[in-house]
Amino acid sequence: MSRVIVVTSGKGGVGKTTTSANLSAGLALRGKKVVVIDFDVGLRNLDLVMGCERRVVYDFVNVIQGEATLNQALIRDKNVENLHILPASQTRDKDALTEAGVQKVIEDLKEMGFDYIVCDSPAGIESGAVMALTFADDAIVVVNPEVSSVRDSDRIIGIIQSRSRRAKEGQDPVKEYLLVTRYSPRRVKAGEMLSHGDILEILKVPLMGVIPESQRVLESSNQGLPAVHQKETDVAQAYQDAIDRYLGNDLPLRFVDEEDKGFFRRLLESVGVGGSSKSA
């Protein structure tokens, strides 16, 4: 049975699209048939992160308005055969997304046999964001460890249940998961950002994972290759851990404590072995 996942947040720029790309790629790498939809009409960038921007011919709005079929609009990922992308329109208004149109697309994708339908939502509570969460079975709330992001996410968590089709039809509620991104144990220790424990205490949503702050995230986005493909990196491992927890596995948290490098490693890094040289 298909599962519809919305990736959402109250604040922009927290890593929703990066998370949508890594979640969908990570699930597909496990053999699942996955489609990821960009709901950010007018400001699409999922196609850039997925490295398929030059292959966009038709988009989500074209399908809703009957100007193209799903088969024409879906783009097969170049790295994982069982992953597809449905891009957003760059030229239409967000009002082009209608509830009936979105519902039909999602139902058609389910009939095509997709195991997971990942909805990359715009930030906040405007029409595109509400449309993305309307048909969700699961909601992944992406938050940065800062007060404004946590406050805005608290508002989104309240909206998820009230606006979802599940709530309106008296079904089981949407399952909520929390994903903390751009996390730096060093900055937490210095009091510059909230700890994951602080965030959990405020939002009270099950923690799916903690993604470390890393230059790798920006590099992978610029390369059009989700970080989960760089298997040896902390970011890839953190996303894989998060996917494991989403799938029901109980794993200890990693990358939440400042690493104690030890005397010899610090010495090697200071002279440029195993790290960047500090000499002029």
Side-chain angles (χ1 to χ4, degrees):
M1 182 178 291
S2 300
R3 199 86 184 160
V4 180
I5 308 169
V6 63
V7 180
T8 185
S9 74
K11 186 173 183 287
V14 299
K16 286 186 309 302
T17 297
T18 298
T19 293
S20 297
N22 281 283
L23 172 66
S24 56
L27 287 167
L29 286 168
R30 293 162 189 253
K32 308 298 184 183
K33 187 176 180 182
V34 184
V35 59
V36 56
I37 306 173
D38 191 345
F39 273 78
D40 203 355
V41 175
L43 293 171
R44 78 175 187 217
N45 57 20
L46 178 67
D47 56 314
L48 292 171
V49 176
M50 301 295 290
C52 64
E53 69 277 8
R54 297 180 184 275
R55 298 162 58 203
V56 176
V57 179
Y58 297 106
D59 57 53
F60 191 14
V61 173
N62 291 140
V63 176
I64 286 177
Q65 298 190 345
E67 299 162 349
T69 66
L70 264 175
N71 283 326
Q72 289 175 315
L74 287 172
I75 302 171
R76 188 188 297 274
D77 185 71
K78 60 187 177 184
N79 299 296
V80 192
E81 185 177 353
N82 48 316
L83 173 61
H84 291 74
I85 301 98
L86 182 56
S89 171
Q90 278 188 309
T91 59
R92 307 292 183 94
D93 188 84
K94 288 180 172 59
D95 291 336
L97 295 181
T98 64
E99 187 168 321
V102 171
Q103 181 176 8
K104 185 177 188 311
V105 168
I106 289 177
E107 288 176 351
D108 288 346
L109 289 169
K110 289 180 178 180
E111 289 180 5
M112 293 170 72
F114 284 98
D115 298 306
Y116 293 99
I117 300 167
V118 179
C119 304
D120 180 25
S121 170
I125 55 173
E126 47 85 15
S127 60
V130 173
M131 205 69 70
L133 64 83
T134 297
F135 301 97
D137 299 308
D138 303 321
I140 297 173
V141 181
V142 182
V143 60
N144 288 163
E146 57 184 55
V147 173
S148 62
S149 178
V150 173
R151 181 187 62 186
D152 291 346
S153 291
D154 188 38
R155 188 179 182 198
I156 282 293
I157 288 167
I159 289 170
I160 289 169
Q161 301 301 342
S162 63
R163 299 290 184 91
S164 74
R165 179 64 65 90
R166 281 180 164 270
K168 294 175 182 177
E169 295 180 353
Q171 302 178 35
D172 291 339
V174 176
K175 287 189 176 180
E176 297 169 342
Y177 302 85
L178 184 67
L179 187 73
V180 181
T181 58
R182 298 178 184 166
Y183 194 83
S184 169
R186 177 187 59 78
R187 295 179 64 191
V188 170
K189 188 175 180 179
E192 297 173 2
M193 59 173 53
L194 298 171
S195 71
H196 67 282
D198 294 332
I199 298 169
L200 281 175
E201 181 64 27
I202 297 168
L203 298 181
K204 295 178 172 56
V205 172
L207 183 62
M208 178 175 159
V210 176
I211 311 301
E213 188 175 51
S214 173
Q215 184 67 19
R216 295 273 189 179
V217 174
L218 178 60
E219 291 171 358
S220 66
S221 294
N222 289 339
Q223 293 167 3
L225 182 70
V228 288
H229 292 288
Q230 302 170 0
K231 297 180 181 179
E232 302 306 315
T233 65
D234 288 356
V235 172
Q237 292 169 19
Y239 270 116
Q240 292 290 7
D241 285 356
I243 293 168
D244 271 330
R245 294 189 193 95
Y246 170 74
L247 293 174
N249 299 307
D250 187 16
L251 297 177
L253 282 175
R254 296 192 283 174
F255 317 115
V256 293
D257 297 314
E258 190 170 14
E259 182 182 3
D260 184 2
K261 296 180 179 179
F263 172 76
F264 286 107
R265 184 168 175 184
R266 290 197 301 271
L267 179 63
L268 289 172
E269 289 189 358
S270 70
V271 297
V273 179
S276 59
S277 173
K278 297 180 181 177
S279 58

